[in-house]
């Protein structure tokens, strides 16, 4: 399960709370909101972290807790919990969408496409 605040200021740290992760092979990643679990199986990652809270896992893996991302660009996003360490990855859960920055302008420009 993933839980988000719905909107963040541009450049803000996005904090993600998670629960019920039962394996150290899970990791959390962020993709554009119009992505599907199939899209999240490949491609470049916007941001990701192990359930220890970072990309190096110097701490213990947590079955529940919080990870923070401070490199997410302005846009509308969705987080995924992924399984496995080698592509193709398997998406086992995904969040509701959340926004970073001037979302009204982003959504308006996407409608023009």
């Amino acid at each position: 399960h993933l839980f988000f605040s719905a909107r963040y200021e541009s450049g803000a740290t996005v904090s993600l709370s998670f629960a019920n992760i039962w394996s150290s092979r899970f990791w959390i990643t962020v993709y554009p909101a119009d992505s599907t679990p199939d899209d999240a199986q490949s491609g470049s990652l916007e941001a990701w972290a192990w359930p220890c809270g970072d990309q190096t896992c110097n701490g213990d893996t947590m079955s529940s807790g919080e990870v923070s991302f401070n490199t997410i660009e302005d846009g509308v996003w969705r987080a995924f919990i992924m399984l496995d360490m080698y592509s193709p990855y398997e998406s086992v859960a995904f969040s509701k969408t959340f926004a970073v920055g001037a979302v009204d302008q982003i959504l308006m420009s996407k409608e023009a496409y």
Side-chain angles (χ1 to χ4, degrees), residues 14 33 37 42 56 60 85 91 102 112:
V14 175
S42 60
T56 59
D60 292 332
M85 300 192 295
S91 172

Side-chain angles (χ1 to χ4, degrees), residues 75-96:
V76 182
W77 304 96
R78 179 183 310 270
F80 292 84
I81 294 179
M82 305 297 283
L83 176 62
D84 226 335
M85 300 192 295
Y86 303 101
S87 182
Y89 312 113
E90 179 185 350
S91 172
V92 295
F94 58 92
S95 73
K96 293 182 179 181

Side-chain angles (χ1 to χ4, degrees), residues 7-102:
R7 189 179 203 125
Y8 297 88
E9 295 295 322
S10 183
T13 297
V14 175
S15 296
L16 162 64
S17 297
F18 61 90
N20 301 323
I21 292 184
W22 47 267
S23 170
S24 62
R25 292 177 41 206
F26 285 120
W27 48 285
I28 301 159
T29 186
V30 177
Y31 277 90
D34 57 356
S35 297
T36 66
D38 288 338
D39 295 332
Q41 291 182 23
S42 60
S44 62
L45 303 174
E46 176 64 25
W48 68 275
W50 297 110
C52 62
D54 60 35
Q55 293 182 1
T56 59
C57 254
N58 292 326
D60 292 332
T61 297
M62 303 176 287
S63 62
S64 62
E66 183 175 291
V67 295
S68 296
F69 299 106
N70 57 11
T71 59
I72 299 176
E73 297 178 7
D74 289 1
V76 182
W77 304 96
R78 179 183 310 270
F80 292 84
I81 294 179
M82 305 297 283
L83 176 62
D84 226 335
M85 300 192 295
Y86 303 101
S87 182
Y89 312 113
E90 179 185 350
S91 172
V92 295
F94 58 92
S95 73
K96 293 182 179 181
T97 58
F98 64 97
V100 176

